[in-house]
Each structure stands twice: as structure tokens, then as C-alpha cells.
Amino acid sequence: MAVIVCSTPTKPPPAGAPVKGLLPLIAPSLVLVLFFAIPMGMMIGISFQSQAEGSPTLASYSRFFSNDLVLAGLARTVVMSGLVALCVTVLAYPLAYYLARATSRWRTVIFALAIAPELAGVVLRTYGWLIILEDRGFINSALMWTGLITEPLPLSKNLFGVVVGLTHVILPFGVLSLLTSLQGINPSLEKSAQILGASRLAVIRHIILPLSVPGIVSSLLIGFTMAASAYATPALLGGAGFKVMATMVYEQVLFYLDWPFAAVMANVLLILMLAAGFVGSRLESRLHQKLHL
């Protein structure tokens, strides 16, 4: 029995097709090279310099990893950034879910209120929290006036005040990242599960949360990286005794004029954020594979 195979001739791609496909990448790649790769390369080079000698040296790196105060600042930065990322994600999730499913006219109002903090500068928002949280601020004054406390609560100049301020600053970014993920979940999945007898809590636990993992990881990464690199809020709400990597880099550059040591701090902070991004992407990939087995 003869078998006839019909095939349609395919035209080879034009000779310049791969090059034309890369043309849109030229402009963003040039921007990244000029404003990120070259400055970071210069920063890495400065970190190996010495104020006394011109030859490359590892003295600044050795000083970094042997200085207890600097290592304490690094640990403080990690703890602060982790708490901010967790608070941002937990607070932004229900708000983003409401915005993804709401159809009433209040949705626009709530969405505007969610991103309203970005309309004011970070310094202005931080000063607002300083007025609220300081010893003679609104909260302590109200509690002392009602007789609930006799001494002001330590709400500022510490980790608590910095986490509150940074959570307020970064919360809109968490809402937007989670909103994008939740809008991609088909609402018919929730309705089908409820028709089959699943409770509202079971729908959220077994359908909404697993399918919104990319948005959760994105919110955590945004919160962590933005908090780790923040300067104004830790400097104002944390005070002189609350040292994180960003404020320590600022001090080394402007007060001590020790550029190599400041470059080492900046490089370590960059490595920290890159490591957080790598761990987050790997975690998201594993969870995605687990959910689609």
C-alpha cells in the first residue's frame, strides 16, 4: 500500500531576521550598561583600592568581615527587610484580592487610596510617621491622656518604627504585584469549587493561594529589596542608634570619606539582594512545578 505524504514547503527566515529581532533590546541594554553595569564595575574596582597604597588590596573586605558593628548592621538589615517584606505581603494580599474581584464603584476609590502614598515624597511620609510614633506623638499622647500608660511607649528610634514606616512606603508596590497575579486567576474556578461543596476558606487555601504564588514571591522580593536599599526612612525613624547598610554607606562616604569601605558595603548589599532574588525565583519555580505535577 502506497502512502502519500504531503508537505508544504517552508520558506527559510530572512537573512536579517535574527538581527531585527534584537533591535528592540538595544536601547534598554544600553541604558543598563551605562547606568548600572559600568557604575557597579567602578564600585567593585574602588572596593579593592586602599587609601594609603595604590595597589589592589583586600584590606577593606577583611575589615568588613572582622568588624562586629558592621556585621551587626548587616544582620539588622536582613531582619528589617524580611519583616517589611512579610508585612507588606500580608497586608497587601486581602486588598489586592478585593480589587481583583470587586465590581462596584468603590473599587476605583479603594484602588486610589491604595496607591495614594506614592503621591507624596518618602521624606514627607516618614516625617508623618515620626509625628505619630515619637514619644510626644499622637499615639503616646492619646494613650497617656486616657490613662492607659504613664510613660511613652518606644514606638520610634527602633526596629518597630522603621518597619512601620517602610511598610507604609512599600505597600502600594505589593498591592500592584499581587493584583496582577490575582487578576490572572479565572473566577470560574472559585465558583466551580463552591458549587462542588468547598467552603470559602478551602477555596482560598487550595485554589487562590497556590495559583497566586508568583505574585506572593514577587511581593516578598519587592518588599525585601526596597527595604534593604532604603535610606531616608531608617535614618529618620531609626535614629542615630539604628544602623543599617544604607545609612552606614552614607556615613562612610560623607563623614569618613572612606570610599573603598563604602564600596565594599554597597557590593555586599547588592550581593544580598541578588541572593534574595535568586532564592525567590528558585522557590517560585519549585512551587510552580509542584502545583502542575
Side-chain angles (χ1 to χ4, degrees):
M1 183 177 63
V3 179
I4 301 176
V5 179
C6 299
S7 61
T8 58
T10 58
K11 295 182 179 180
V19 178
K20 291 182 180 179
L22 297 177
L23 288 178
L25 300 178
I26 295 178
S29 299
L30 185 61
V31 171
L32 288 175
V33 170
L34 290 177
F35 298 102
F36 181 77
I38 294 179
M40 287 309 304
M42 295 173 61
M43 191 68 65
I44 293 174
I46 292 174
S47 67
F48 291 101
Q49 294 180 0
S50 175
Q51 291 183 327
E53 303 175 359
S55 59
T57 177
L58 295 175
S60 296
Y61 285 93
S62 176
R63 176 185 168 192
F64 179 92
F65 290 105
S66 61
N67 193 320
D68 293 337
L69 294 178
V70 176
L71 294 178
L74 178 61
R76 194 177 295 112
T77 302
V78 174
V79 173
M80 176 196 71
S81 303
L83 290 175
V84 171
L86 185 61
C87 292
V88 166
T89 304
V90 171
L91 293 177
Y93 197 94
L95 180 57
Y97 180 77
Y98 171 81
L99 293 174
R101 294 293 181 263
T103 56
S104 64
R105 56 186 178 182
W106 289 103
R107 181 184 183 276
T108 304
V109 177
I110 295 177
F111 181 78
L113 293 176
I115 64 174
E118 295 305 313
L119 301 179
V122 61
V123 177
L124 180 61
R125 284 174 284 172
T126 303
Y127 268 117
W129 278 110
L130 188 62
I131 295 173
I132 295 173
L133 299 176
E134 66 180 0
D135 292 345
R136 296 185 179 181
F138 174 77
I139 295 179
N140 279 318
S141 298
L143 292 176
M144 293 180 68
W145 180 77
T146 56
L148 296 177
I149 60 175
T150 57
E151 295 181 357
L153 298 176
L155 302 179
S156 62
K157 309 299 181 183
N158 51 27
L159 178 63
F160 175 81
V162 175
V163 170
V164 170
L166 285 176
T167 300
H168 177 239
V169 171
I170 305 173
L171 185 61
F173 297 96
V175 172
L176 292 176
S177 61
L178 286 168
L179 178 60
T180 303
S181 179
L182 290 170
Q183 284 179 334
I185 302 176
N186 195 338
S188 61
L189 296 176
E190 304 175 48
K191 296 180 181 179
S192 301
Q194 290 178 338
I195 291 174
L196 294 175
S199 62
R200 189 62 180 172
L201 183 60
V203 171
I204 294 175
R205 179 182 177 184
H206 297 288
I207 296 178
I208 303 301
L209 283 176
L211 293 179
S212 61
V213 165
I216 295 175
V217 175
S218 176
S219 176
L220 290 172
L221 290 178
I222 290 175
F224 186 90
T225 55
M226 292 187 67
S229 59
Y231 166 75
T233 302
L236 295 175
L237 286 176
F242 190 86
K243 301 294 185 182
V244 292
M245 294 301 295
T247 57
M248 294 168 72
V249 171
Y250 176 84
E251 289 181 353
Q252 292 295 325
V253 171
L254 291 186
F255 295 115
Y256 301 106
L257 302 179
D258 193 346
W259 282 71
F261 196 50
V264 171
M265 292 183 180
N267 293 335
V268 171
L269 184 60
L270 176 62
I271 293 173
L272 175 64
M273 291 188 286
L274 291 177
F278 176 77
V279 171
S281 61
R282 294 292 296 175
L283 177 62
E284 179 184 353
S285 177
R286 288 191 177 185
L287 291 175
H288 185 271
Q289 293 178 358
K290 183 179 179 180
L291 292 172
H292 289 78
L293 287 179

